[in-house]
């Protein structure tokens, strides 16, 4: 499967889906949308410090949505020849509903500007043999550099495919994509001493860049595992919390951004419903969404509904700039149309959310955040619970350590309790340096102050 083959497959399928939509309209089905997601992948897996399996898979999924007199029916299919029957089934589902919602409608088409860097054709020269070599190299790194680290599982993949959407309103958009990725999970073991599980990954659209990212990710994984091996209990203290990029989202920012979701706002499950144009976070925090940055994994010219993507501010110096709307939620909010934040794929109805968030880098060098006076808790992962509407969270820190007088002290049984909306106002510093999570979301290190850390001593 290469670029030329995929391009032809996309064009052929586009013609067929347009024909089906035309046939549906001729049959009295006026409002139909078909979203197609095609993927081909080659994969090599690791298990228990060794190569496990090599596989190649291909899948094409179709999400069919029909809106009829304020009712909506949705069907998932993986069989193109019977897709017209699925359209009729989606119409039957819509007609079987009893309570109409006339805010349900399909959006009109927009002029789309293609984005660059979605498919580096150099990837067509790669295959299973390449993935096997990456896997063997990774196992050598483990053996030579991290002998105490056990790889429980891992996967190396080359993926190619396309997404395509057509509708009876005239929406018609498609684009190819290709990438290479790798992930690993495991823990360090020294005799009867076992550290906590950890994980890391890398992905990219360019093979050479991916190799550099993967080596960095694997070494980071090994160091995190070893760092957690001889963790010890630590007394309680009040002080600062340092979040690396991974933890910035898992620890608190994902909950904060969830409050900007149009669905949560409509259902009364967001504390930010009345905060548009108001300050909710530290002046240091600025976030924007940009799905059009060349070469990144989440880059795309259109959203789940075929609406054009663009760079948009989300928070500027702590002030809310926008909420995330798809067509339905925008209508419910009294807006003329969505703002391009429809997410999802062929296996779901459009939901709301960002595509490729970028947190603006700060002014503090990362190394300075590791040399602060007093005690700072470095949060690697947190295992616990969180409540989206209230923002409350609590959990045990995994693979973390206390920074004290230039020393890194691995700790266990350390617990932290807080609230994401309060934490957003406790930001003391943001680093200049950062990382691309999933080669998509740019995230720096963030320092929070004023936390009570409960130790196990």
């Amino acid at each position: 499967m290469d670029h030329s083959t995929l391009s032809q497959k996309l064009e052929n399928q586009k013609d067929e889906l347009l024909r089906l939509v035309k046939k549906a309209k001729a049959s009295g089905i006026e409002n139909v949308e078909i979203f197609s997601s095609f993927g081909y992948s080659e994969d090599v897996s690791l298990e228990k410090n060794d190569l496990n399996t090599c596989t190649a898979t291909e899948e094409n999924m179709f999400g069919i949505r029909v809106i009829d007199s304020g009712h909506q029916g949705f069907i998932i299919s993986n069989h193109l020849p019977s897709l017209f029957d699925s359209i009729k089934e989606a119409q039957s589902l819509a007609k079987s509903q009893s309570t109409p919602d006339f805010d349900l409608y399909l959006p009109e088409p927009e002029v789309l500007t293609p984005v660059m860097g979605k498919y580096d054709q150099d990837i067509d020269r790669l295959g299973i043999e390449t993935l096997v070599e990456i896997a063997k190299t990774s196992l050598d790194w483990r053996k030579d550099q991290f002998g105490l680290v056990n790889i429980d599982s891992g996967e190396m993949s080359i993926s190619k495919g396309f997404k395509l959407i057509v509708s009876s309103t005239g929406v018609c958009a498609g684009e190819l994509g290709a990438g290479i990725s790798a992930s690993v999970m495991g823990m360090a073991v020294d005799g009867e001493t076992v550290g906590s599980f950890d994980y890391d990954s890398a992905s990219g659209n360019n093979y050479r860049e991916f190799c550099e990212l993967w080596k960095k990710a694997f070494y980071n994984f090994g160091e995190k595992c070893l760092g957690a091996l001889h963790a010890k209990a630590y007394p309680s203290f009040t002080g600062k919390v340092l979040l690396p990029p991974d933890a910035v989202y898992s620890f608190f920012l994902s909950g904060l951004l969830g409050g900007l979701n149009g669905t949560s706002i409509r259902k009364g499950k967001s504390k930010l419903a009345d905060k548009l144009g108001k300050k909710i976070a530290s002046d240091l925090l600025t976030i924007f969404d940009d799905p059009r940055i060349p070469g990144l994994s989440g880059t795309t010219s259109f959203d789940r509904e075929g609406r054009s993507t663009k760079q948009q501010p989300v928070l500027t110096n702590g002030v809310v700039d926008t909420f995330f709307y798809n067509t339905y939620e925008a209508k419910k909010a009294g807006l003329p149309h969505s703002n391009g934040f429809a997410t999802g794929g062929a296996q779901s109805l459009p939901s709301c959310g960002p595509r490729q968030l970028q947190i603006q880098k700060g002014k503090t060098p990362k190394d300075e955040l590791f040399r602060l006076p007093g005690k700072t808790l470095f949060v690697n992962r947190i295992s616990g619970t969180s409540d989206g509407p209230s923002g409350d969270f609590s959990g045990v820190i995994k693979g973390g350590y206390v920074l004290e007088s230039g020393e890194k002290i691995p700790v266990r049984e350390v617990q932290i309790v807080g609230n994401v909306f309060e934490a957003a106002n406790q930001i003391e510093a943001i680093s200049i340096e950062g990382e691309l999570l999933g080669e998509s979301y740019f995230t720096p290190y963030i320092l929070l102050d004023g936390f009570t850390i409960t130790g196990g001593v």
Side-chain angles (χ1 to χ4, degrees), residues 77-137:
S77 173
N78 63 357
H79 192 235
L80 181 59
S82 63
L83 218 56
F84 187 69
D85 291 333
S86 296
I87 294 173
K88 292 190 292 185
E89 187 178 352
Q91 184 192 36
S92 296
L93 281 176
K95 285 181 173 295
S96 69
Q97 298 171 17
S98 58
T99 305
D101 186 341
F102 293 104
D103 288 331
L104 286 167
Y105 70 101
L106 299 177
E108 296 295 320
E110 287 188 314
V111 176
L112 303 178
T113 303
V115 295
M116 305 299 293
K118 287 290 293 180
Y119 198 122
D120 185 338
Q121 295 187 49
D122 284 346
I123 286 182
D124 288 340
R125 298 203 300 264
L126 311 179
I128 287 286
E129 298 83 1
T130 310
L131 298 177
V132 169
E133 285 303 312
I134 294 171
K136 287 181 177 179
T137 299

Side-chain angles (χ1 to χ4, degrees), residues 279-287 315-319 360 424-428 430:
K279 186 176 172 61
I280 65 163
S282 164
D283 292 342
L284 298 176
L285 186 61
T286 291
I287 305 173
L315 293 179
T316 301
N317 301 127
V319 176
Q360 185 169 294
N425 288 284
Q426 293 172 252
I427 298 174
E428 186 174 286
I430 297 178

